[in-house]
Amino acid sequence: MSSSLLNNYLQSKSPSEYKPETLAYLASLEVIGKDNPQIVESILSELKDQRSSLKMIASENYCSLAVQLTLGNLLTDKYAEGYPQHRFYAGCDNIDTIESLAIEKAKKLFGAHHAYVQPHSGADANLVAFWTILTKRFEDKFFDQFDKKTVMDFDDAQWEEYRQAVGNQKLMGLSLDCGGHLTHGFRQNLSAKMFKYCAYGVNPETQLIDYDEVRKIAKREKPLILLGGYSAYPRKINFKIFREIADEVGAVLMVDMAHFAGLVAGKVFTGDFDPVAHAQIVTSTTHKTLRGPRGGIILTDEEFATTVDRGCPMALGGPLSNAMAAKAVAFEEASTDSYKEYAQKVVDNARVLGEALIKEGIKITTNGTDNHLIVADITSFGITGRQGEGALREAGVTLNRNSIPFDPNGAWYTSGLRLGTPALTSRGFGEDEMKTIASVIKKVLSCTAPKTTKSGKPSKATFSYDESIVAAARAEVDEMLSVKPLYPELDF
Ligand code: PLP
C-alpha cells in the first residue's frame, strides 16, 4: 500500500513539484510497510479519520510534521538515566545536547527558573512533582532531625518514621466532577493512595471556583500541596490568589497547566493568570494546547530544581530522548509570533463557539469560557453525554462526554459534553465555522433520543436519531472540512 502510494506520488509529479513533507511521510510508510502492512493501514486510516472529522476533543491537537518526524528515529534507542552531565549510562553526549536544548527553550518560553523535560506524560509529570515536593520537604526535615545526609543512612526506625510522615500528607485539588483531573486525587488513581485527598469544588450557582471557599477549606485542611489546574473547567484561574492562600496555610502551590500550557506559552494567560509566575512547581503535558509531542514537563522554582532532576530514577524510567528532541522542536515553534496569534485565536474561537451554543439554546457551564474549552450541559435534550457523544460522532464531530458540576449521571454516562478549539484552530478554522458547528451540534442533539431498556426505562447508553438530519449535518461538516484540509503539505 505505502509502496504504491510513494510510487504513485513520484510518478504523478515532476521532481520540482515534490513536497519534502510528502516524500518523507510516504518514504517512512514504505519502510514500515515492508514487514508491517497492517500498521501502515492503521496509520493511513487514522490520517483519513482525522482529516474527515471535526476534532473537538479539548485535550487534542495536530502537532507539526517536524515534531512527528523528530519522534521517529534512532534517539529512541539510547538509555540516558539521570540528567545532562549526570548520567548513569555512557555515551550520552548527544542526548545531553538535546535535553539541554529542550530545557533552555522551555525555560525561555515560560520564563521559568528551571525545567525538567523528561516526563513521559502528564500523569508522570504529576507523579514526579508530587514526589519532588514530598522528597524535598521531608528529606530536609528528617536530615536535620536525625542529623543524617542521605536516607541511606537512616536506621530502620528512622526510615519507618520518615515513611509514615511522607505517607500521611494532604493534597487539595479541584474535584473531578467540577473539572479536576484523575491524577489530582481521584480514588482510582495512585494520587489518592499516596495522599489524603481534600477537594475544593465550584460554586453551585455560578459554577465558578470560589476563592473564599478555597481559602476556607485550605485553612481547615492544611494541605501539603494546594493544586490548581483542570481538565474541564472553562475559566482562567487567578494564581496570585492561589499562591496567597497556599502561603497563608504553609502549602506548596503546584499548578497542573496540562490543558492551557499553550495559552501560557502564547501569552494569552499573563499576570495573575500565569501559573509560572506564581506557583512553586508547574506540571504540564506537551501535546494539548501546546501542540508538541505526547509527553510532559515540569517547571520549578529554585527550591525544587535539584530534586526534580532526580525524577529518573525517583519515579520514572529512562527518558525518551526522541520525545525530548521533539519537545525542543515544539518549544521553538511555540516561541514564534504566529504561535501567539494561534493561541489568541484558540480562545477567540472558544468564546464565539460558546456564544453561538447559547444562542442555539444550549446551556454551557459558567455561562461562558475564557480558555480553549466549553462544557455543555445537555440535560435538556433528555440524553446523556455518552449518547450525545455517540450521535455527534455519526455526524463527523469528535468530542467527548464530560461530567457537569455535581453530575447526577456520574463520570461514565455524564450529562455534559466537553468541546475544545485547539485542533480546529490549528486546522485554520475561524469564527464563522464556530457558528456553523454550534448549529450542527444543536440539530444532532435535538434529533437524538434514548432507546428504551428491557425494564422500560430510558437507556443511558443506547440511542437512536433521525438519520436524514444527521446525514445533512454530516454534509455540512464535510463541506467545512473540504475547505480547510488537514496537513496540506501532505498532498496525497
Ligand atoms: N493533567 C491534566 C490536567 C490533564 O488533563 C491530563 C490529561 O488529560 C493529564 C494531567 C494527564 O496527561 P497524560 O494523558 O499525558 O498522562
Side-chain angles (χ1 to χ4, degrees), residues 59 121-124 126 181 183-184 230-231 256 258-259 285 287-288 295:
S59 51
S121 69
D124 284 8
N126 284 342
H181 188 251
T183 56
H184 297 185
Y230 50 77
S231 296
D256 177 351
H259 258 265
T285 55
H287 49 270
K288 304 185 203 274

